Amino acid sequence: MPALATSLHLFPNNPILRTKPYFPNFSSTIPFGFSASSSSYPINSNSSLSFVAPLEAILFDIDGTLCDSDPLHFYAFRDMLQEIGFNDGSPIDEDFFINNISGKHNEELCRVLLPDWEFEKAMNFMVDKEALFRRLAAEQLEPISGLENLCKWVEDLGLKRAAVTNAPRSNAELLISMLNLQDFFEVIVLAEECARPKPFPDPYLKALNALKVAPNHTFVFEDSVSGIKAANGAGMAAVGMATRNPEKMLLDAGATLVIKDYNEPKLWENLERVVKEKLPL
């Protein structure tokens, strides 16, 4: 698979994946017991996206936002950290993953998880972890329910769109291709090619500049605290995806609205309201 030429990759003459992408069996469930608690999350009914009207663009995180990939990251970190004796050899649990790992950039994770290691050695560990994640993802990947309908809605309205991720290039390419979205996104921004990753606003600011859209007429789908803070820092509202992270955590980070998936009626009520609005409130 060819690498993205830059962190801003335009797709009209898309060189990514000239061959037919691989599609997993999306109907299968992840068999490892990573429980999804999002179905129990209430929606924040007091929030509205109407202030972003008229809507120009929607930006998407990738991991946990386009696809349910957090369990695969969890398994990869759990097994590899146990191998090196992290936490006295006891495997990390889901709470530790959510509170200390989810949404963070690998350079930051080197400091969080392996502070006593030389940076180069710690980064090599992260490279190996990402390779294990890609092997797991190639076998099983869960898209967020309703994603296909949302993408069609975005295309039918002619809205601009970008993917903005802290994930390394190889992960971003794999997940986007497996979801068959390589022709959907006009721009992909890789945080590793920005001055600073999320939670800093740099990746989202770069996407806004590339799409030539205003932050007050754009919103973001994000599943992590760091991503929501980055979106807010760039002047945009964020819809929190409670696929794995608790609703309260996302709201406390600054999410305008929290949903469990793209089928959520509250989301579509907001989208219809935004489209009907002619001027921002």
Side-chain angles (χ1 to χ4, degrees):
M1 181 185 303
L4 292 174
T6 66
S7 61
L8 299 179
H9 188 83
L10 302 180
F11 278 100
N13 299 308
N14 177 22
I16 292 184
L17 282 180
R18 296 297 186 187
T19 58
K20 183 178 180 181
Y22 165 75
F23 296 94
N25 178 7
F26 286 151
S27 64
S28 63
T29 57
I30 297 177
F32 295 101
F34 193 107
S35 59
S37 55
S38 61
S39 60
S40 65
Y41 294 155
I43 302 305
N44 182 8
S45 59
N46 296 320
S47 297
S48 171
L49 291 171
S50 60
F51 61 88
V52 304
L55 185 61
E56 297 178 352
I58 300 179
L59 309 183
F60 296 78
D61 177 48
I62 296 179
D63 277 304
T65 303
L66 296 178
C67 53
D68 191 14
S69 53
D70 265 7
L72 305 183
H73 285 289
F74 168 70
Y75 306 143
F77 270 115
R78 180 195 62 190
D79 292 351
M80 290 191 61
L81 287 172
Q82 189 173 16
E83 285 181 6
I84 63 171
F86 183 85
N87 193 32
D88 294 326
S90 298
I92 63 170
D93 58 20
E94 296 171 23
D95 286 340
F96 181 90
F97 177 83
I98 289 171
N99 293 316
N100 298 281
I101 296 177
S102 180
K104 291 183 171 63
H105 192 261
N106 278 341
E107 290 188 7
E108 181 182 4
L109 287 173
C110 288
R111 297 188 291 272
V112 171
L113 300 176
L114 306 168
D116 298 330
W117 287 27
E118 292 183 0
F119 181 73
E120 183 177 358
K121 179 182 178 182
M123 280 301 297
N124 285 336
F125 175 90
M126 297 300 167
V127 168
D128 290 341
K129 174 263 160 185
E130 299 298 357
L132 175 56
F133 164 78
R134 289 191 295 275
R135 290 196 296 274
L136 293 172
E139 298 172 357
Q140 54 187 317
L141 187 70
E142 290 290 333
I144 301 301
S145 181
L147 176 63
E148 182 178 354
N149 288 336
L150 177 66
C151 290
K152 184 178 186 304
W153 182 86
V154 171
E155 289 181 319
D156 288 347
L157 287 178
L159 298 175
K160 295 183 178 181
R161 56 269 191 186
V164 182
T165 181
N166 268 1
R169 181 197 308 272
S170 51
N171 288 20
E173 290 178 339
L174 175 66
L175 298 185
I176 287 175
S177 65
M178 290 182 69
L179 295 169
N180 199 27
L181 293 176
Q182 63 269 34
D183 294 322
F184 174 74
F185 290 112
E186 299 170 87
V187 169
I188 294 177
V189 176
L190 302 174
E192 65 184 19
E193 296 181 358
C194 296
R196 300 175 300 179
K198 306 172 191 177
F200 295 102
D202 304 41
Y204 279 119
L205 291 172
K206 198 166 188 177
L208 289 169
N209 183 63
L211 292 176
K212 295 180 172 53
V213 293
N216 55 320
H217 299 309
T218 304
F219 73 88
V220 175
F221 284 109
E222 268 284 359
D223 76 308
S224 70
V225 168
S226 64
I228 289 170
K229 288 182 176 179
N232 290 169
M236 290 179 289
V239 174
M241 300 296 299
T243 46
R244 300 292 173 177
N245 291 326
E247 179 196 25
K248 185 178 186 302
M249 179 184 291
L250 302 178
L251 290 172
D252 288 347
T256 298
L257 176 73
V258 176
I259 60 175
K260 59 185 177 63
D261 59 39
Y262 295 115
N263 290 321
E264 175 59 51
K266 186 64 177 181
L267 170 65
W268 288 99
E269 291 170 11
N270 271 271
L271 294 179
E272 290 172 7
R273 190 178 303 123
V274 170
V275 170
K276 290 178 181 177
E277 293 285 345
K278 301 300 181 184
L279 295 172
L281 298 180

